[in-house]
Every structure is written in structure tokens, then in C-alpha cells.
Amino acid sequence: MERKFKIILAGLVGGFVGEGIMGALFMSPPIHSILYDPSLQSELFIQLTPERNLVLSIAGMVILSIAHAWFYSLFKKSIPGTTWAKKGLFWGFTIWLLYWVFQEWFIYHTLIGEPILLNLLELVVLLLGSLVEGLIIARILK
């Protein structure tokens, strides 16, 4: 029972803090002004993204982080690194690579038409949040 609780806790805390960091960065004036600049951004992005249910989206991502923590617990011994921090950084990079890169390419670039340079800006922000999520998961489950 304690293992299940730790996995859920690691996922919720990691997801909440990681999403919080990403949200704060995305809403910061410099990044927000670039991403919503009509001379740079696709019209569809500017039209669609304010329409999303932000609370539901964030809640879903935090809950999805429980799966990230569960997978970490399954693969922990095979994840590269000799310390929880190195394992956590690797795990955060894995989350980013398997989830966010896919989403940025297939949803934002190919479907919504977001320019690749803005995808890259978003990917930097998403990498920072993912690394924090991975570190928190690894720390709680060490």
C-alpha cells in the first residue's frame, strides 16, 4: 500500500509542480507575447488555444503524471544514472521526448500550423517542466 501511495504522491506532486512551472513560463509576458504575436503565430493557434478548458487540461496532465511515476517505478533500476537526481533528469527528458515532442509536432505544427521556431520555444519551456517533474518523481520514489 505504501508503494502505491508513493507512486500517486510522486505523480501528483511532480505533475503539479512541473505544470506550474510550465504555466508560469508560458504566461510570462515575454513568452506569451511571442507565442500570441499574429505576425509570427498561426491564425488557428491564436483562435483555438484561448478556447480550451485550461483547468481541465492542467488537471488531466497532473493526473497523467501518476502514470509517469508508475512507469518510473517499473523502470527505475534500468534508468541510467547512479543517483536519484541523474535518474530523475533522464526520466524528465524521457517524458519530454515521448510526450511533448510528439504533441508539438503532430498537433501544434502539422494540425494547427504553428511555425517550427515557435514549436522550439515551447519545447524549451516544456523541457524545463518535464525535467522538474522527473526530478520530483525520482526524489519521492528513491
Side-chain angles (χ1 to χ4, degrees):
M1 184 61 146
E2 182 183 330
R3 180 176 179 268
K4 288 179 186 177
F5 174 75
K6 285 180 94 171
I7 290 169
I8 293 169
L9 178 67
L12 292 176
V13 174
F16 184 78
V17 174
E19 285 293 317
I21 287 170
M22 289 185 278
L25 289 171
F26 279 128
M27 295 309 292
S28 70
I31 293 174
H32 193 269
S33 66
I34 292 169
L35 290 178
Y36 286 89
D37 182 340
S39 68
L40 301 173
Q41 187 58 269
S42 81
E43 184 180 325
L44 193 54
F45 178 97
I46 292 171
Q47 180 184 10
L48 288 177
T49 56
E51 298 293 321
R52 69 182 180 252
N53 183 332
L54 199 55
V55 172
L56 188 60
S57 295
I58 293 169
M61 293 307 303
V62 171
I63 291 168
L64 177 63
S65 295
I66 295 170
H68 297 162
W70 177 58
F71 285 127
Y72 178 86
S73 74
L74 294 175
F75 302 129
K76 183 167 68 171
K77 290 182 183 176
S78 63
I79 294 173
T82 54
T83 65
W84 68 265
K86 289 178 183 177
K87 287 180 179 288
L89 288 171
F90 183 88
W91 190 246
F93 180 75
T94 302
I95 292 167
W96 176 80
L97 189 62
L98 294 176
Y99 183 78
W100 293 115
V101 173
F102 172 84
Q103 177 177 292
E104 283 300 312
W105 178 257
F106 286 105
I107 295 173
Y108 287 95
H109 183 68
T110 63
L111 293 176
I112 297 178
E114 183 175 45
I116 196 74
L117 287 176
L118 296 182
N119 284 141
L120 294 174
L121 172 61
E122 289 180 1
L123 283 169
V124 169
V125 171
L126 296 166
L127 177 60
L128 294 173
S130 296
L131 292 174
V132 168
E133 179 184 346
L135 284 168
I136 290 171
I137 289 170
R139 175 68 175 102
I140 292 173
L141 297 179
K142 73 175 187 143

